[in-house]
Every structure is written in structure tokens, then in C-alpha cells.
Amino acid sequence: MGLRVHRMAPRAEVLVVNTGLRTNVSYLTNQGLKAIWVAWAGWAAIASAVHAQPLEVRVVIPVVIESAGRGSEAFRRSAQIRSARQGEFLSVEQTAAEFDARASAAPIELDAEDIDRWLDHKEAATKHLAHQDYARAAASLKAAQEVSERAIEALNRETAMARTVLDTCLYVVMGLWETGKTAQAEEQARECRRLVPQIQPTMTLHTPTVRSIIEQIDRERQLEASATLEVKSPEQGCLVRLNGLHLGTTPFMMAELIPGEYRVQVECDKDRPGRVHRIVLHSDQTLWIDPTLDDAVRTDPEVHLFYASEDAFAEHGTQHAQGLARMVGVTTVILVAPYEMARVDRDAGEVGSVPLRADGSALVAVDQILRIEVREPSEKKRATKSHEFGRRRTRRAVGGTLAGAGAASLVIAAGLYAWRVNKGNEFAQSTPGTPEYASARQRWEDARLGVMLAAPLGAVLLTAGEALTYEPISRLPPWVWGAGAAGVGLLTWGIVEMAIADRCDRDLTITTACISGQESIDRGVLLLSAGVPLAFLPVWALTKRSKIEIQAQGAGLMVRGEF
């Protein structure tokens, strides 16, 4: 019995041990499987998220060109792209939020009523302080300070108003100090100096304590390590405003600034407030501002670019798109202009562009443009683009000169025609066979040469000038068709004048009808010369357009396109 117990005990121990091992192995196996499943699920989720997220953050920016028209097309196509490819492009709301937070905002404009209300709060606070009614003074000053904080760049544009802003802010310091809140008073004084740097308060309006506090803060700014702001810009000599105060020109640097938020404006046009760039200074910082981008950017109804002409877009579009990419925090900008779509990389610049037809789909165009490989721009490519722009500018300058000379020549021809009519009247009144008759006839015949030379020369020069200066656009404006219609009318009139004119027999005595007929022919030449450049304009515009197709069909021609 003992032997059995002795032999069974080990079996029992072994069994117990084995059971424990099996239990631990089972437990570990289950936990391992769970861990593997969790890891796999997490990896799948991460992979799915990465797959769903585009490799580059993109934004669509509509481009409005005033001279080209059809601005609504850019907004419609941009919305079409965002709707069809949601998740690949920032939405209108996301773009606006990023731009407002990281880029710039339109300057706040205060009307006379806003300023009057602000001054009323300031005057009320002054009276309450004089009567030592600090509670009511604090309420009035709080209302005034809210306006100052919201629109400091508008209030500080004039030195006198900026000093009033500083004085009003220092009234808050006085109220805090008189109610025993000395630490808050000193902190508020630093805030006043941040709002209005480099302007001295009206010392006679403040108590000796307030004056000593602001003087102490100014001394500390010079002795302590305050922040330095540097403003760089591609435009030199433009005004730089800090919280509305004109403190210098580009390139700009200012030291001894109290850390905090500042609003910076660069203004190349003195009569036009620049967009407001907010920057929070904790240490020395550099801010880059492009005034041409500030002039081009619009935020209503969404963030877009506005240019007066296609030349302005060609010159600045890529540079502005790169600036927007850095401001909004994206890698790719798709510019949707009325007649083309361009892709701009934040670092590489313009990647490529595709034309947009009026009846074409923006989705097809964006598919094409996103397939283009991004490459670093070469110096040769940049030089070529700059050379092309220079050639266009030279061509337009030469064309403008020729057109001006042609118009002047036509005006001279009209004057010479009037002079010839006058000489014809003198010739008609002279008596045949007399010396005066021969002299008057010679003067009348000589006057014709000027008309016959000046009028056709003017037509040739003006037509050549039009050919050089005209830039092709997709839809011809009404004035082009109007000019063509006027040209056809002048050509018809000139042909009729020449057809019905009386002819002179060279060997016979010239009669009054002959003189009238010659004047009719001269008038016809002048009308034809004026009509040719006008009729040429729509014809040239149609031949220069990429949207027009001309095909032979039977014995005629078929013209298709947008008219």
C-alpha cells in the first residue's frame, strides 16, 4: 500500500505538473494569438489609413483674370474637383481656416461711428477716474480696449490716434494701481507698450506713478534681451507697419520689442492698407511678405487669386502659388484659371499645365496634370521662361509703337484730305486760262499725294501693331466684334465712294464734277485705310485662338469653336 502510494504520488505530481504546463501553454498560446490579432488589426488599420491618405497634401485655388472674364468658371471647376476627389484636396473651409491662421487677413476698416464709440468709452473712463469711480472706469476701459485689441492696425495708422490708444491703455494701468493691483498694473503697462511701440504717451494726462512705470519698462527693453523682428520682401522701399504704426521700409529690422503678438503690414501703395500678417514673437524672428501676393489674394467667396491681366498671371502666378503652399502648409497647388489648369509644387515650382476648354471636364484635366512627374526646375527652364516673358513685353512695346504711329498717320491723312478739299474749292473758283488757274490746279493735284501716301501707310502700321499687341483669348469680347462690324461698314462705304466717283479726262478741262469725283476717290481711300485695321482685328483674333478649328468641307470651309 505504501508502495502504491509512493508510486502514485510521483504520478500525481507528474500529472499535476503536466496539467500546469498544459494550462500555462494554453494560456500563453491564447494570449499570443490575441496579441498577434491585435497587432495585425492595428497594422491593417494603419496601412488602410496610410493608403487612404494621399502622399501629398493638395489645394485647389481658383484664378480670376479680369481681362479674360469668365471668373465663375474657375470657381465652378474648383468645386467640381473637390467634390469628385474628396479627401485628396483641402476643402474650402479647411483652406480658409489654414490661411487665416497661418497667412494673412484683410485689414480691418473702422468707420466714423466705430471711432466715435471708442472715443466715448475713453472719455467716460476719464470722467470715472477723475471721480475715483474705478469700477465704472474699468467697465468703460474694458470696452475701449476690446476695440483697440481688435482693430489696432486701423487705430494706429495716424500718430495722434496711436498716442490716444496708448493713453487709454495707460488709464487701465492707473485704475489697477489705484485699487492695489500693482503686479497687474505693471503687466498691463507692458501690454500697452506692445500695442503701441515707439510712441510716447501724453505725460500730462497720467499720474507720476504711471509715468514711472512706462519709463521703467522702456529702460528694461533696452537692457534686457528683447525680441527682434526682421521683415524681408521682394519689393524694396515699401512701408512697413507694426500694429498699424509706420516704423520703416523694406528691408526692415526692429529690436527691443516686447514678446507677444504683432500685426505686420507691407504697403507699396501708400493709399492702400496692406494685408495683416500676425506673428507671435518669443525670440528673434524673420517674416517674409510678398506685397504682390497680398494684392492678388482674395478670400471672398473663398481663397483665390485675382489678376488684372493674363500677363500679370503669367509673371506672378507660379511664385504666388508657391507662397500660398507655404502659408497653407500643402505640397501641391492646382491653379484653375479660365483657360488653363496649372500644377505648382511648393519647392519645384511649376510642374506643368493643361488647357481647359469651355465644354471640357475639369476632372479629366486634373487627372492629366497629376500624372506629370515632379522635377526640380533647371536654371535653363527658368531662364527660358524669363526670356519668353521679356520677348512678349518687347513685342507688345513694338506693337504699341507701330499702332500709335499708324493711328497718327491716319489722322494726318484726314487732315491732308480736308486741305485738298479746300484747295479743290479754290481751284473750282478760278478762271480757266489765267495764271491763277494753273497755279490753283497744281496745288490741288499736289495735295493728293499726301492723302494717297499717309492713309495706306497708317493702315499698314496700325494693322501690324494690332498683330503684335493682341493676346489670344478663348472667347472674344463684344468690342472686338463691334470693331470688325465698324471696319466692314467703312470698307463698304469706301468702295461705294470710289465706284460712283466721276472720272476726269486727262486732256480735257477739269470741271466741278471732276473735282468732286476726285475728292470722292480720296475719301474712299481714306475710308478703306481706316476700315482695314478694324476689320482685321476679329479675323486675326480668330486665327490666333487655340479653340477654333477650320476644316475643309466640300467646296467650303467649316469653322468650329467659341465665338
Side-chain angles (χ1 to χ4, degrees):
M1 195 67 166
L3 181 61
R4 290 179 182 175
V5 171
H6 177 73
R7 292 180 63 185
M8 290 295 294
R11 282 186 69 183
E13 284 186 19
V14 172
L15 287 174
V16 169
V17 172
N18 287 341
T19 303
L21 286 173
R22 290 173 182 173
T23 304
N24 290 336
V25 171
S26 177
Y27 172 78
L28 293 175
T29 301
N30 291 335
Q31 294 301 316
L33 290 174
K34 289 181 179 179
I36 293 172
W37 184 86
V38 171
W40 180 85
W43 176 256
I46 293 173
S48 176
V50 171
H51 179 73
Q53 182 71 20
L55 296 179
E56 54 181 341
V57 183
R58 303 164 179 160
V59 66
V60 180
I61 301 295
V63 177
V64 176
I65 301 176
E66 186 177 25
S67 62
R70 293 177 58 188
S72 60
E73 287 289 320
F75 293 106
R76 182 184 63 81
R77 284 171 167 156
S78 299
Q80 184 183 24
I81 294 172
R82 296 191 198 98
S83 177
R85 305 183 71 136
Q86 292 184 8
E88 296 185 31
F89 295 91
L90 296 182
S91 66
V92 172
E93 294 75 16
Q94 289 173 325
T95 305
E98 291 292 332
F99 187 83
D100 289 341
R102 305 175 57 172
S104 64
I108 294 176
E109 297 182 1
L110 293 179
D111 56 25
E113 294 183 359
D114 294 329
I115 296 177
D116 288 341
R117 281 194 297 268
W118 177 75
L119 291 174
D120 290 341
H121 291 308
K122 178 249 184 186
E123 294 298 331
T126 304
K127 294 179 181 178
H128 296 321
L129 288 173
H131 292 87
Q132 297 183 353
D133 189 350
Y134 298 115
R136 298 178 67 182
S140 297
L141 289 171
K142 180 181 179 181
Q145 283 300 104
E146 287 177 353
V147 176
S148 298
E149 287 282 356
R150 178 175 60 87
I152 189 64
E153 69 272 16
L155 291 172
N156 279 357
R157 290 186 71 85
E158 297 181 5
T159 303
M161 184 63 74
R163 182 171 286 108
T164 304
V165 172
L166 179 58
D167 290 335
T168 304
C169 188
L170 292 178
Y171 289 155
V172 180
V173 176
M174 175 183 173
L176 292 171
W177 186 272
E178 294 297 332
T179 54
K181 301 175 182 177
T182 56
Q184 295 182 29
E186 293 176 355
E187 186 62 30
Q188 180 63 38
R190 295 178 64 85
E191 182 67 12
C192 295
R193 179 48 78 197
R194 182 192 64 82
L195 282 176
V196 189
Q198 302 292 64
I199 295 291
Q200 293 303 316
T202 308
M203 291 300 185
T204 56
L205 298 179
H206 305 289
T207 64
T209 301
V210 173
R211 293 199 298 266
S212 64
I213 292 175
I214 195 69
E215 291 171 355
Q216 178 64 26
I217 289 175
D218 288 340
R219 286 194 297 269
E220 291 175 355
R221 287 193 301 121
Q222 298 175 359
L223 298 175
E224 297 177 359
S226 302
T228 297
L229 174 63
E230 183 178 7
V231 179
K232 293 183 177 181
S233 171
E235 304 292 329
Q236 305 296 312
C238 297
L239 298 183
V240 176
R241 293 185 180 273
L242 197 63
N243 285 354
L245 289 170
H246 173 207
L247 298 179
T249 58
T250 54
F252 171 84
M253 178 180 289
M254 184 174 181
E256 301 175 2
L257 290 171
I258 292 177
E261 182 186 271
Y262 290 87
R263 303 175 194 182
V264 185
Q265 295 166 281
V266 172
E267 300 174 355
C268 298
D269 184 350
K270 298 180 181 180
D271 298 326
R272 183 178 178 182
R275 292 185 64 84
V276 179
H277 298 257
R278 295 173 181 258
I279 183 171
V280 179
L281 290 180
H282 297 297
S283 58
D284 297 351
Q285 289 183 249
T286 300
L287 182 63
W288 174 269
I289 298 178
D290 184 353
T292 63
L293 175 56
D294 282 356
D295 290 341
V297 74
R298 302 287 191 275
T299 55
D300 185 25
E302 62 177 275
V303 176
H304 65 280
L305 295 173
F306 177 88
Y307 299 96
S309 65
E310 294 185 9
D311 280 349
F313 174 54
E315 182 179 4
H316 299 291
T318 300
Q319 172 189 336
H320 291 170
Q322 288 181 281
L324 283 176
R326 297 185 183 98
M327 291 176 177
V328 181
V330 299
T331 55
T332 299
V333 175
I334 303 297
L335 296 177
V336 183
Y339 310 114
E340 69 172 336
M341 181 183 295
R343 176 183 173 188
V344 179
D345 183 82
R346 180 179 58 197
D347 301 317
E350 183 176 345
V351 177
S353 63
V354 295
L356 288 175
R357 299 179 63 91
D359 56 350
S361 171
L363 301 182
V364 175
V366 79
D367 285 340
Q368 294 175 354
I369 207 168
L370 288 177
R371 294 194 191 103
I372 302 175
E373 182 182 354
V374 178
R375 296 180 179 178
E376 292 296 327
S378 62
E379 292 296 329
K380 182 178 179 180
K381 181 179 179 180
R382 286 194 290 266
T384 301
K385 188 172 183 179
S386 176
H387 180 64
E388 289 176 355
F389 178 75
R391 287 177 56 188
R392 178 188 295 181
R393 185 164 50 189
T394 302
R395 186 177 72 249
R396 297 189 70 175
V398 173
T401 302
L402 291 177
S409 183
L410 288 175
V411 171
I412 292 173
L416 291 175
Y417 167 76
W419 182 57
R420 176 168 164 78
V421 170
N422 181 56
K423 294 304 176 182
N425 294 333
E426 293 179 358
F427 176 41
Q429 295 174 2
S430 61
T431 303
T434 63
E436 290 79 7
Y437 177 85
S439 177
R441 176 176 178 173
Q442 188 63 42
R443 287 195 299 270
W444 174 67
E445 291 179 345
D446 291 344
R448 188 180 193 187
L449 180 62
V451 178
M452 292 301 176
L453 289 178
L457 178 62
V460 171
L461 292 177
L462 185 54
T463 303
E466 290 176 353
L468 290 174
T469 57
Y470 181 80
E471 295 292 340
I473 56 178
S474 181
R475 184 178 296 277
L476 300 188
W479 66 267
V480 173
W481 295 112
V488 171
L490 291 176
L491 290 174
T492 303
W493 187 5
I495 293 173
V496 171
E497 287 281 356
M498 298 180 70
I500 65 174
D502 291 331
R503 299 296 191 269
C504 296
D505 293 330
R506 183 174 300 176
D507 297 332
L508 297 178
T509 303
I510 296 177
T511 64
T512 303
C514 175
I515 295 175
S516 177
Q518 289 293 307
E519 292 176 355
S520 182
I521 294 175
D522 295 346
R523 188 163 55 249
V525 171
L526 187 60
L527 291 171
L528 290 173
S529 299
V532 167
L534 294 175
F536 169 79
L537 188 58
V539 175
W540 179 253
L542 288 174
T543 59
K544 294 293 288 184
R545 290 175 58 190
S546 59
K547 301 292 190 299
I548 295 298
E549 300 178 5
I550 303 178
Q551 299 177 351
Q553 188 173 28
L557 293 175
M558 180 178 66
V559 181
R560 295 187 302 178
E562 298 176 17
F563 302 93

